[in-house]
Amino acid sequence: MHIAVTGNIGAGKTTLTTMLSKHYGWDAQFEDVDHNPYLEDFYADMNKWSFALQIYFLGSRFRQVKEIRESGKNIIQDRTIYEDAHIFAENLNDMKLLSDRDFSNYASLFDLMKTFVSAPDLLIYLKSDVPNLVKKIYKRGREYEASISIEYLSKLNQKYEKWISNYTEGKLLIIEVDDLDFVEKPEDFGFILEKIDAELNGLF
Ligand SMILES: Nc1ncnc2c1ncn2[C@@H]1O[C@H](COP(=O)(O)OP(=O)(O)O)[C@@H](O)[C@H]1O
Ligand SMILES: Nc1ncnc2c1ncn2[C@H]1C[C@H](O)[C@@H](COP(=O)(O)O)O1
């Protein structure tokens, strides 16, 4: 079984993925952030590094897709390949930080890869508003993310809302996380588990 956690920067994906992996005994797959050779440069100059970063994330995420297909294990994945293309790359192109030529080159590669990608059995969308995303990004304290603007997060949130409202590839669970503190409050984590268990029961 393949579960994926989706949502904007700072929504709580990595935290929840870690907790769910422990709770259910699933293998977790995380994003390539700490050893990513472009991310810090990207935040310093998005125009210059957007294409290189998108290609890097696409390759890294496709490698995960391949592992998920081949492993036969229950896996929980922190962010999907769809978000790279439909949220981040599209938004950079809208913001003119990724040229039309580079975006079209990227999109044709993504379309080819997509033919090998199976949607997760369950997609869990962590919905959060921009002020709360800002608070959590600040709490996490990655220095290079200090330059992330409200405008960038808002545009990404709009893309997420649009993508999620059209998502029909598999089961979808939307969790509004702004009033939940699943890190500190076991009852809030319990609330999420109940929702997930209800979805999982429908899968078997
Ligand atoms: N629901 C929550 N309540 C309180 N703190 C949270 C919550 N979700 C995430 N956090 C905190 O916010 C920060 C960012 O979370 P993270 O899991 O790294 O987000 P993401 O992977 O979606 O970018 C972390 O410091 C985490 O502990
Ligand atoms: N495809 C991407 N393009 C630009 N930036 C991306 C992409 N995928 C992830 N990121 C960034 C956003 C954050 O700064 C880090 C980690 O993501 P997070 O949502 O905090 O787990 O990578």
Side-chain angles (χ1 to χ4, degrees), residues 7-15 31-34 36 39 42-43 46 50 53-58 61 78-81 83-85 87-89 92 106 137 140 142 144-145 148 152 156 160:
N8 207 341
I9 307 168
K13 299 177 300 299
T14 306
T15 310
E31 287 185 284
D32 200 346
V33 175
D34 292 339
N36 187 308
L39 197 54
F42 167 75
Y43 281 119
M46 287 189 172
S50 60
L53 179 72
Q54 290 316 311
I55 293 296
Y56 182 81
F57 267 123
L58 191 63
R61 216 83 70 176
D78 176 353
R79 187 165 275 140
T80 63
I81 195 166
E83 291 158 78
D84 295 310
I87 312 288
F88 286 94
L92 287 167
Y106 172 91
I137 292 169
R140 177 166 65 198
R142 283 187 199 129
Y144 54 82
E145 289 183 337
I148 294 178
Y152 184 65
L156 292 176
Y160 267 105

Side-chain angles (χ1 to χ4, degrees), residues 54-204:
Q54 290 316 311
I55 293 296
Y56 182 81
F57 267 123
L58 191 63
S60 137
R61 216 83 70 176
F62 192 68
R63 214 164 290 125
Q64 290 189 336
V65 166
K66 186 170 173 284
E67 276 171 33
I68 292 169
R69 279 178 90 111
E70 289 170 358
S71 78
K73 291 182 180 166
N74 290 331
I75 288 185
I76 180 152
Q77 186 189 20
D78 176 353
R79 187 165 275 140
T80 63
I81 195 166
Y82 303 120
E83 291 158 78
D84 295 310
H86 298 309
I87 312 288
F88 286 94
E90 251 187 57
N91 178 55
L92 287 167
N93 181 242
D94 290 353
M95 293 179 81
K96 310 261 178 255
L97 293 163
L98 182 65
S99 71
D100 289 346
R101 179 170 60 172
D102 285 347
F103 181 60
S104 145
N105 182 1
Y106 172 91
S108 83
L109 194 56
F110 173 71
D111 286 344
L112 180 64
M113 287 177 167
K114 212 169 54 176
T115 60
F116 292 91
V117 175
S118 306
D121 299 297
L122 174 65
L123 184 70
I124 304 172
Y125 172 47
L126 305 187
K127 185 178 161 102
S128 180
D129 67 18
V130 171
N132 280 298
L133 294 171
V134 171
K135 275 187 217 152
K136 285 184 262 176
I137 292 169
Y138 180 76
K139 179 178 172 192
R140 177 166 65 198
R142 283 187 199 129
E143 256 176 48
Y144 54 82
E145 289 183 337
S147 66
I148 294 178
S149 68
I150 303 278
E151 185 202 5
Y152 184 65
L153 286 175
S154 304
K155 285 181 187 296
L156 292 176
N157 246 9
Q158 285 164 17
K159 289 270 178 210
Y160 267 105
E161 287 299 309
K162 188 172 156 214
W163 175 60
I164 287 294
S165 65
N166 291 311
Y167 183 83
T168 51
E169 279 84 351
K171 260 182 179 287
L172 171 68
L173 170 63
I174 300 176
I175 301 177
E176 306 214 4
V177 287
D178 286 343
D179 294 327
L180 299 175
D181 184 344
F182 51 81
V183 179
E184 298 291 341
K185 293 187 184 159
E187 66 273 25
D188 285 358
F189 184 51
F191 170 80
I192 291 178
L193 290 178
E194 267 178 34
K195 284 182 170 263
I196 294 175
D197 284 340
E199 295 295 333
L200 294 180
N201 283 337
L203 284 173
F204 297 113

